[in-house]
Amino acid sequence: MSGAPRKKTARRARERPAQPPRPASPARRAAFAVLLRLEPTRDRPRPPRPDALIARLEDADGQPPGDRDRALARELVFGVLRWRRSLDYALDTYSRRPVGKLDLPVRTALRLGLYQLRYLDRVPASAAVHESVSLAAAAARPGAAGLVNAVLRAYLRADHAWPRPGGDRDLYLRAGLSYPDWIVDRCLGQLGAEGARRRLEAGNRSPTVFVRVSRRLALDEVRERLGEEGVKTERFPIAPRCLRVTSGNPQASSLFRDGAIHIQDAGSQLVAWLLPVDGARRCLDACAAPGGKASILAGRIEPRPLIAADLRPGRVDLLDSTVRRLAADNVLRLAADAARPPFPAGTFDRILLDVPCSGLGTLARNPDIKWSASPARVRKLAETAGRIARAAADLLAPGGMMLYSACSLEPEETTGTVHGLLSEGPGLRQVSLADRLPEALAPLVDDDGALQVAPEDHGTDGYFAALLQRTDA
């Protein structure tokens, strides 16, 4: 008699449907939604940028997430993008099906879960597993939640042999450092094994935050005031008026709100100081958005005006927002195609030309570029940069100078474009930038006189700049 109720209870338990897992947290739901949007599709071969998606996040009621949820969502999105190939390498060990053949929602939930288990010590393992199971249960077909749960728990029970620097070198560069093969092959061909390792490791670091200080304030005064608000900084001599942030959030400071400081990579700041401006009356920034370089150049030539142009009205709006916040009142903004500029030949004495490029020098800051870039896209962008550079060179007055720059170190977009321009235009010559830099930075100048700032050497983005001068009439 005593056994009958237990059998009945057990049978009822088997018949009772499993309780669905609790919904995932707002931050993880947001990260999941963004990562799904970032996967290229046939209709959308080039996905949007992650920060643009994160900026537009809303909950079910149309409200933006709180600061903590937005910050965690961003950490999860950028972490999964940075380590995507490493995560897939590990997941392939524990899944019966290759990760690449799983449905996108399942694959994304697994990547999010494993990223938290592997890289976020402050997230309990149980929470990372549960949240990923909840995401799969809500977005994928029946059985997906069980698969995600099984794979992540298999990972927790196992010993892990992640690719290490001292092991298989090729496996470490590709799966261990999480890069597509074509980027690894390029780095090996250009830099050798040790140089490739350093370049690729630099692309995975947490990006350094640099601020540029307004000319209106002394550097030491700004450092002291930032320190009072919990932001610690140190001088960074690669560029004038540049500080490196060692702790704290400068964007939350009163100095940032007042336009006294601007968040800008040190390499980007340096480029804007390299164009000689003495005696220049007519100056153009031909691809000016988002406006960091334009605001530096405007400060160097004030009260003379700087014409700052960009192709799309939305980009001009971004430029306008930057120069207004930084009180760069002598910047004249307009929408214009740099490949077909609306100015007569010989109009300008000085031109700053920061061309559209692959952005492969900014992988630490923009890990999504690893997966959206390609050799074909690099070549296409280099062709565009060449057309823009030729059009800009025609705008130079006799003796005028143009600074060509790119946040890339790829030869097609840098030295290749410059050499092509010089070979096509006999009225141009390259001027060495060595005299524009302090002696300590002389090693940044190559044999042709161009600047090359490598991420592995200075903790900045990768930047290239070359100074060209019109010599004919």
Side-chain angles (χ1 to χ4, degrees), residues 135-268:
L135 292 170
R141 66 184 61 182
L147 186 153
V148 170
N149 183 67
V151 171
L152 294 181
R153 293 198 179 279
Y155 171 83
L156 287 171
R157 292 192 300 268
D159 293 327
H160 315 297
W162 293 78
R164 301 288 183 182
D168 184 321
R169 186 197 69 193
D170 203 54
L171 183 64
Y172 172 67
L173 294 178
R174 299 173 193 275
L177 292 179
S178 185
Y179 282 89
D181 288 336
W182 73 272
I183 290 182
V184 176
D185 292 341
R186 274 186 169 239
C187 286
L188 286 169
Q190 296 169 14
L191 305 170
E194 179 60 16
R197 179 192 65 78
R198 295 182 65 237
R199 174 72 53 85
L200 297 172
E201 287 179 346
N204 284 334
R205 59 171 169 75
S206 296
T208 304
V209 177
F210 297 97
V211 299
R212 188 242 303 172
V213 177
S214 167
R215 294 158 63 98
R216 302 189 302 269
L217 297 173
L219 285 174
D220 288 338
E221 176 189 352
V222 169
R223 291 191 62 206
E224 182 177 349
R225 289 176 57 182
L226 285 172
E228 292 171 354
E229 297 189 49
V231 181
K232 294 183 179 179
T233 61
E234 60 187 16
R235 290 182 180 241
F236 195 70
I238 198 172
R241 312 198 64 75
C242 180
L243 299 176
R244 176 167 50 192
V245 177
T246 57
S247 65
N249 180 12
Q251 284 185 285
S253 69
S254 60
L255 285 164
F256 182 83
R257 292 192 297 272
D258 294 341
I261 61 172
H262 182 60
I263 311 298
Q264 185 176 0
D265 183 76
S268 173

Side-chain angles (χ1 to χ4, degrees), residues 272-322:
W273 288 92
L274 293 178
L275 181 65
V277 296
D278 291 344
R281 295 181 295 108
R282 298 159 298 178
C283 300
L284 169 70
D285 185 342
C287 300
K293 298 182 189 69
S295 60
I296 292 177
L297 185 56
R300 295 179 59 211
I301 67 172
E302 63 181 356
R304 290 167 288 168
L306 170 68
I307 296 177
D310 214 283
L311 176 61
R312 296 186 298 275
R315 296 279 291 171
V316 178
D317 290 343
L318 180 60
L319 166 65
D320 185 72
S321 175
T322 301

Side-chain angles (χ1 to χ4, degrees), residues 271 274-275 351-353 401-406 414-415 417-419 422 429-433 446 448-452 463-469:
V271 165
L274 293 178
L275 181 65
I351 297 175
L352 175 59
L353 181 64
M401 294 185 178
M402 176 174 74
L403 188 77
Y404 174 98
S405 70
T414 56
T415 54
T417 299
V418 170
H419 292 165
L422 292 171
R429 71 181 183 100
Q430 185 168 354
V431 180
S432 176
L433 287 168
D446 64 20
D448 292 328
L451 174 85
Q452 301 213 35
Y463 262 95
F464 171 90
L467 184 60
L468 305 175
Q469 184 175 33

